[in-house]
Amino acid sequence: MKTHPIILTMSILLCCTTGKKNDEQLKSELAAIELTRGEITLCSSGTDQFGTVSFSQSCSEKTRPDFNLAIALLHSFEYTEAEKVFVKVIDQDPQCVMAYWGAAMSNFHPLWSPPSPTELEKGAKIITLARSIITDKESRESDYLEAIATIYDQWNTLDHRTRLLKFEKASQALYEKYTDDDEAAIFYALALGAASDPTDKTFQKQKKAGEVLNKIFENKPTHPGIAHYIIHNYDYPELAALALPAARKYASIAPASAHAQHMPSHIFTRLGLWDESIQSNIASVTAAQCYAQKSGIKGHWDEELHGLDYLMYAYLQKANDEKALEQVRYLQTIKEVFPVNFKDAYSFASMPARYALERKDWAAAASLQPEPSDFPWEKFPWEKANIYFARILGAVHENKVNDAKKDLEQLKALHAALVQAKENYKSNLVLIQVKASDAWIRLAERKKDEALTLMTEAADMEDATAKHPVTPGEIIPARELLGDMYLQTGNPQRALQVYEEDLKRHPNRFNGIYGAAVAAQKSGDAAKAKQFSEQLEALAGQGNKRVLLVGL
């Protein structure tokens, strides 16, 4: 069968006019995407303050310094600034596929909350445009792009967890295909951490990530991503000691990053190194305040609030209540934050709750309210739950059992909302609080056996669940509360055992040591009573008001 000459002519025309878009076409389509543009915001003397990255890619040579800077920013989770620089690279070289990949990565933030619908739509548009300029589907650039595309393809039909696992698989394929590409290895380690199961106590993926990173750390000691991801993947009581060298190095690798100043405190907190945590977060808060001012953020940046929570937690463990109160009072002056997200919500809820409960100010705990009152708390049920958990513990200890029961219903409603939203991890965290709250209410009703059973269940559940990265620790560890309950019910020997168990997971916690000291004294164990009393003095100093209350 012969082809009609007109059809043949049309086929030739289509063949020759379709294909890779030219720069002007790309710039026109880019203008329709709300990309973050502008000069990078710096609180330091130069762009070399974010670490050393050398990423081999096929874009124009003149863009290489900016591209490497953007990668360094990306590795320290400075997502807004990273996107600015990737967009600058695109403007200079619209055919640079890897810059589109970077812009898409900047909207992903894998270890934080899932991308918003706006970010997902934006990322999908970036991926679509980048695909239109790829001529070699087997190229390294195409493979990188298709890896991040797993987060944006079908984002409105596939759940985030499913897409995250696809990203991990694609990142593994990159790692195995490009064995000489250290960046592929580093991003694979990030993907492993992001896709890890918080209930997996074998830490299979985290350990694998650590192996990958440690193999290249010695040869790239100033690379920001390696140190950063070692900290994240080892941010567990069982693994934290392995990350201490990286934690003590990361801040000096990327001194201009507020997040890099803060991240070491995750490990310092896990190991009870409170002085180092305090210094880390003072630096982080200062850097965050500088960034907010210089970038023109209206209100307070979320990184500042995140650092404040860790800072106050460390002050409380040293029984430095005056400094802790300074952070709470400062928090109360904050009325506007950017962006409005889970980090802000958590700090707003946790800081006043911690300040009351750690000092056993039960009346203050019972009277807590979600503040600021105009904050969109309905969007953050897990974070809000911490306020009601503190209220319940405060009310029970103030012998206001009916008030505690009313607040327990509120806590259960927040749990139900998380279940309905299929937020399985967060709903489990609130369920632990529900069980612990119910336990203390039953103890107040003289149902000791039921109370101890429920409190033990809560402690076992919490031990089997990793804490959320946003928090330095549970509002009060459930096993520490179990120790308190045994002590209150006249079983100091068992209380001492429980406190010692909990201190293995939460070393140098003031109230854990305090409880162990009292339990040892009441058990007649003079040696341990002396040991824990000396630990308290070493932690908080002689003459500290809270130390003196032990009376040993």
Side-chain angles (χ1 to χ4, degrees), residues 26-35 125:
L26 289 170
K27 288 179 180 179
S28 176
E29 294 188 39
L30 281 165
I33 304 175
E34 293 186 6
L35 297 167
K125 290 176 182 177

Side-chain angles (χ1 to χ4, degrees), residues 55-66:
F55 196 146
S56 175
Q57 40 85 20
S58 59
C59 304
S60 65
E61 187 64 31
K62 67 179 181 181
T63 66
R64 191 172 300 278
D66 281 333

Side-chain angles (χ1 to χ4, degrees), residues 28 62 101 156 170 334 408 414:
S28 176
K62 67 179 181 181
W101 163 86
N156 53 354
I334 297 176
L408 179 56
L414 293 168

Side-chain angles (χ1 to χ4, degrees), residues 290-522:
C290 173
Y291 177 80
Q293 181 181 7
K294 289 199 171 186
S295 63
I297 286 176
K298 190 177 180 182
H300 295 255
W301 191 29
D302 61 352
E303 276 293 309
E304 180 187 0
L305 275 73
H306 185 48
L308 286 172
D309 186 27
Y310 274 72
L311 178 60
M312 193 196 74
Y313 186 80
Y315 279 135
L316 286 169
Q317 303 322 309
K318 289 179 65 66
N320 191 337
D321 296 344
E322 292 77 11
K323 280 290 185 182
L325 180 58
E326 281 183 23
Q327 314 315 312
V328 175
R329 286 178 172 165
Y330 175 65
L331 181 78
Q332 291 168 344
T333 69
I334 297 176
K335 304 302 179 185
E336 189 169 9
V337 293
F338 177 85
V340 175
N341 63 16
F342 73 105
K343 287 193 283 185
D344 309 317
Y346 191 85
S347 296
F348 278 138
S350 68
M351 288 179 65
R354 291 190 201 285
Y355 184 71
L357 293 177
E358 293 278 5
R359 295 165 44 258
K360 302 187 187 298
D361 186 345
W362 305 119
S367 63
L368 288 171
Q369 296 291 336
E371 296 289 348
S373 58
D374 59 350
F375 191 78
W377 288 106
E378 69 280 358
K379 297 180 181 180
F380 305 103
W382 167 58
E383 293 83 350
K384 187 178 180 180
N386 291 296
I387 290 288
Y388 283 95
F389 181 49
R391 282 174 59 91
I392 292 164
L393 292 176
V396 167
H397 285 85
E398 287 286 291
N399 296 314
K400 297 178 179 178
V401 179
N402 288 335
D403 289 348
K405 287 182 176 180
K406 290 177 184 177
D407 284 333
L408 179 56
E409 292 307 309
Q410 292 290 330
L411 194 61
K412 288 179 178 178
L414 293 168
H415 172 255
L418 289 164
V419 171
Q420 186 175 5
K422 297 182 180 180
E423 292 271 13
N424 297 332
Y425 171 66
K426 290 180 179 178
S427 66
N428 184 66
L429 294 178
V430 178
L431 182 58
I432 293 168
Q433 293 180 336
V434 167
K435 285 182 176 289
S437 299
D438 196 3
W440 281 92
I441 289 172
R442 295 195 191 204
L443 185 64
E445 295 176 332
R446 302 182 186 280
K447 300 174 183 176
K448 184 181 80 168
D449 291 342
E450 293 178 19
L452 286 168
T453 297
L454 277 169
M455 196 62 244
T456 300
E457 288 177 9
D460 290 344
M461 285 176 64
E462 192 167 271
D463 286 351
T465 306
K467 79 167 183 67
H468 193 288
V470 77
T471 169
E474 301 81 6
I475 296 299
I476 294 185
R479 195 157 296 281
E480 185 178 286
L481 280 173
L482 178 60
D484 293 345
M485 189 173 282
Y486 273 117
L487 196 58
Q488 189 167 320
T489 56
N491 190 343
Q493 294 86 359
R494 179 63 183 134
L496 178 57
Q497 292 174 349
V498 172
Y499 285 129
E500 289 181 310
E501 289 168 4
D502 190 63
L503 284 167
K504 292 176 183 177
R505 291 181 57 82
H506 302 93
N508 262 359
R509 255 191 66 80
F510 182 94
N511 283 332
I513 300 172
Y514 182 104
V518 174
Q521 182 189 45
K522 292 188 174 182

Side-chain angles (χ1 to χ4, degrees), residues 59 67 85-87 89-90 93 96-104 126:
C59 304
F67 186 86
V85 185
F86 281 123
V87 171
V89 173
I90 293 172
D93 183 2
C96 179
V97 174
M98 288 303 292
Y100 293 84
W101 163 86
I126 294 169

Side-chain angles (χ1 to χ4, degrees), residues 29-266:
E29 294 188 39
L30 281 165
I33 304 175
E34 293 186 6
L35 297 167
T36 305
R37 297 177 179 275
E39 290 300 317
I40 182 174
T41 301
L42 289 172
C43 285
S44 63
S45 58
T47 56
D48 60 341
Q49 299 293 297
F50 294 98
T52 306
V53 172
S54 180
F55 196 146
S56 175
Q57 40 85 20
S58 59
C59 304
S60 65
E61 187 64 31
K62 67 179 181 181
T63 66
R64 191 172 300 278
D66 281 333
F67 186 86
N68 285 333
L69 170 61
I71 294 292
L73 289 162
L74 189 65
H75 280 311
S76 284
F77 295 174
E78 300 289 346
Y79 294 118
T80 300
E81 301 307 308
E83 185 176 346
K84 286 181 186 177
V85 185
F86 281 123
V87 171
K88 181 181 178 182
V89 173
I90 293 172
D91 288 341
Q92 293 176 331
D93 183 2
Q95 304 292 336
C96 179
V97 174
M98 288 303 292
Y100 293 84
W101 163 86
M105 282 290 293
S106 300
N107 286 272
F108 173 26
H109 37 77
L111 297 182
W112 293 357
S113 58
S116 68
T118 300
E119 290 168 324
L120 289 166
E121 287 181 10
K122 179 180 175 181
K125 290 176 182 177
I126 294 169
I127 296 297
T128 299
L129 191 53
R131 280 171 170 161
S132 74
I133 62 175
I134 291 178
T135 55
D136 183 0
K137 301 296 184 182
E138 302 299 320
S139 67
R140 175 170 166 267
E141 287 83 357
S142 179
D143 289 340
Y144 264 89
L145 186 70
E146 292 307 314
I148 185 57
T150 58
I151 296 300
Y152 298 105
D153 288 345
Q154 299 176 282
W155 67 266
N156 53 354
T157 57
L158 290 180
D159 65 86
H160 179 68
R161 178 67 183 167
T162 298
R163 289 180 287 113
L164 200 56
L165 292 171
K166 288 168 71 73
F167 176 70
E168 179 203 354
K169 187 175 181 180
S171 299
Q172 181 179 0
L174 275 175
Y175 168 67
E176 292 174 349
K177 183 176 180 179
Y178 302 103
T179 54
D180 293 332
D181 183 354
D182 286 343
E183 290 298 324
I186 294 164
F187 281 111
Y188 174 45
L190 173 64
L192 283 166
S196 62
D197 182 350
T199 64
D200 175 20
K201 302 305 287 185
T202 68
F203 307 109
Q204 179 183 5
K205 291 183 179 180
Q206 295 92 329
K207 289 178 179 177
K208 173 64 176 175
E211 291 173 6
V212 170
L213 294 167
N214 280 309
K215 285 179 182 177
I216 53 180
F217 196 17
E218 184 175 351
N219 293 327
K220 292 184 179 291
T222 60
H223 190 291
I226 301 173
H228 188 186
Y229 305 151
I230 286 174
I231 293 170
H232 268 295
N233 278 289
Y234 287 162
D235 188 13
Y236 304 90
E238 298 86 347
L239 305 178
L242 299 172
L244 189 56
R248 285 176 168 158
K249 191 172 183 64
Y250 181 35
S252 64
I253 292 173
S257 167
H259 190 69
Q261 298 305 305
H262 161 74
M263 270 309 300
S265 71
H266 280 237

